[in-house]
């Protein structure tokens, strides 16, 4: 039995395994996979247990918007609409957003400053 990969995770997997891309993009894609997995664990373990369903819903919506950017980047690159250099710069921004996602906040609270 083969499980289907999440459409949000798929762009990172495709980037990490595409032979056209250099190692810098592959490393970023790997970081994206790791950040995606960490966010999923946070949602399941901490987010649901937080007792604040509105905060969780907002966080999930924010997360979805960020991972959709990765999908758009992959589509643009794969369709020849974006250079590898542009992909690298924009993917770096997406991965940094994922890595800084609220699930990494040890207190479970959004920054109010």
């Amino acid at each position: 039995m083969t499980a289907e990969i999440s459409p949000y995770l798929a762009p990172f997997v495709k980037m990490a395994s595409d032979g056209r891309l250099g190692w810098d993009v592959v490393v970023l894609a790997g970081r994206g996979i790791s950040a995606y997995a960490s966010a999923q664990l946070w949602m399941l373990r901490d987010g649901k247990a937080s007792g604040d369903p509105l905060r969780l819903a907002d966080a999930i919506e924010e997360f979805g918007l960020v991972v959709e950017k990765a999908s758009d980047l992959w589509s643009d690159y794969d369709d020849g609409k974006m250079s590898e250099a542009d992909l690298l710069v924009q993917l770096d921004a997406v991965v940094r957003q994922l890595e800084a996602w609220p699930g990494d906040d040890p207190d479970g609270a959004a920054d109010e400053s």
Side-chain angles (χ1 to χ4, degrees):
M1 179 186 304
T2 302
E4 189 171 319
I5 191 168
S6 161
Y8 297 115
L9 182 59
F12 295 112
V13 173
K14 289 175 183 175
M15 288 179 218
S17 61
D18 191 286
R20 298 174 291 175
L21 295 169
W23 289 113
D24 290 337
V25 175
V26 172
V27 168
L28 279 175
R31 285 176 43 200
I33 291 168
S34 179
Y36 180 90
S38 293
Q40 295 302 312
L41 285 174
W42 179 87
M43 284 185 247
L44 293 170
R45 292 181 182 165
D46 301 324
K48 285 186 174 184
S50 72
D52 187 351
L54 293 178
R55 179 181 179 272
L56 179 59
D58 287 344
I60 291 171
E61 182 178 356
E62 177 188 337
F63 179 77
L65 293 173
V66 175
V67 294
E68 283 178 1
K69 290 178 189 176
S71 183
D72 292 343
L73 291 175
W74 173 249
S75 291
D76 286 349
Y77 173 78
D78 198 38
D79 291 343
K81 297 177 186 173
M82 176 182 289
S83 70
E84 182 176 343
D86 288 339
L87 174 65
L88 181 65
V89 169
Q90 293 183 44
L91 181 60
D92 182 65
V94 168
V95 169
R96 287 177 188 271
Q97 279 185 285
L98 288 176
E99 290 174 336
W101 190 67
D104 293 336
D105 183 357
D107 296 325
D111 185 4
E112 300 293 327
S113 50

